[in-house]
Amino acid sequence: MGAVIEAEGLRKTYGGKVAVGGLDLSVPEGGVFGFLGPNGSGKTTTIRMLLGLVRATGGRASVLGVAPGPQLHRVMPRIGSIVESPALFPYLSGRRNLEVLGRIQRIGAGAVTSVLARVGLGERGDDRVAKYSLGMKQRLALAAALLKDPALLILDEPANGLDPQGMKELRDLIVSLGRDGRTVFVSSHLLSEIQLMCDRVAIVQGGITVTQGTVAEVLALGRPTGLLVRVPDPARAIEVLAAQGVAAAPTEGGDRLRVDLPHDAGAHLNELLARSGVYLSELTADDVDLETVFLELTRRDGQVP
């Protein structure tokens, strides 16, 4: 499986200010790839360099095997993108917006109808865009990016400003596009959304890549998972578990204990405590999420977002 996006030591400075400071990236073909970082971490600047909208100060990059620059036009018909806020004509219908764009790209009306249906706007395509909710406008922008039936979709913060329902609808759509065999490269500062929709991720901070890999690989870089328990006498529970060689410590809130046992050891933990007259009132898995891993990784590097 080849890389559809590659970057090595990619840099961009503006008047001496570093926006991207030597970023490495490798995006394999197929699925949804999350480009994750806080606002101001260089995500949009990186995307603009990849699409040839701004020139890199240093390093190298390629998209579908072509470096951004004079030859990028060779692969642009295979790339659909949304960069920052999508530009739409508010007093035209959604369908008419796409027809205007399609005419420029020599794409027929049949494709317009197809992409409107694909993004869930089939019944609202003839309404004026001015009447659309923010979520509908985002879906229309995605429809525009799909007009060329691209192999690669590059989406910059597509969930910005959406309510929870709008986020879920957009997430489900992006996941379905990745399952079609396309590569969907989506940037976001919303860590929970990225974890739900992506197969692979890269975490960036301060214009550099902190780590990248499958979601499972990145999650494994965080603290080990464990079990969270609530007991009447935490000190006694810690003593009992320590005698059995099991580490336990109070959580930050102090109302529960975190026990260093795998998720499937709940019954064993309950038995260990019950033998000594300590009974659980609550037992849950202590999962690690991308937000936790992100904070841990950036702090290890001496960077706090």
Side-chain angles (χ1 to χ4, degrees), residues 95 98-99 102 105-119 143-144 146-149:
R95 181 182 302 278
L98 296 182
E99 287 173 347
Q105 300 175 352
R106 298 181 180 179
I107 295 171
V112 170
T113 300
S114 177
V115 296
L116 282 172
R118 182 64 194 271
V119 302
L146 287 170
L147 266 180
K148 295 181 288 186
D149 192 22

Side-chain angles (χ1 to χ4, degrees), residues 261-278:
L261 286 174
H263 289 174
D264 59 0
H268 177 57
L269 173 61
N270 186 44
E271 182 181 355
L272 289 178
L273 292 173
R275 283 176 185 169
S276 299
V278 180

Side-chain angles (χ1 to χ4, degrees), residues 136-179:
M136 292 170 66
K137 289 176 182 176
Q138 290 291 77
R139 281 187 278 156
L140 182 61
L142 187 52
L146 287 170
L147 266 180
K148 295 181 288 186
D149 192 22
L152 170 64
L153 274 171
I154 298 178
L155 310 177
D156 183 22
E157 298 277 5
N160 255 3
L162 298 185
D163 60 22
Q165 181 61 33
M167 285 185 185
K168 182 183 184 306
E169 291 172 355
L170 186 66
R171 180 203 317 147
D172 292 345
L173 179 56
I174 289 173
V175 169
S176 72
L177 291 169
R179 288 174 179 165

Side-chain angles (χ1 to χ4, degrees), residues 30-115:
V32 183
F33 189 103
F35 192 42
L36 179 61
N39 290 329
S41 60
K43 301 188 303 296
T44 296
T45 301
T46 298
I47 287 174
R48 292 176 69 84
M49 285 190 285
L50 293 173
L51 292 172
L53 300 175
V54 297
R55 184 176 297 178
T57 305
R60 69 171 189 86
S62 67
V63 181
L64 296 177
V66 177
Q71 298 303 311
L72 192 61
H73 68 91
R74 292 163 39 201
V75 295
M76 285 306 294
R78 299 170 57 202
I79 302 171
S81 64
I82 302 174
V83 184
E84 298 180 305
S85 299
L88 302 167
F89 296 106
Y91 294 104
L92 296 180
S93 68
R95 181 182 302 278
R96 186 60 178 151
N97 267 273
L98 296 182
E99 287 173 347
V100 169
L101 183 60
R103 185 174 300 173
I104 296 171
Q105 300 175 352
R106 298 181 180 179
I107 295 171
V112 170
T113 300
S114 177
V115 296

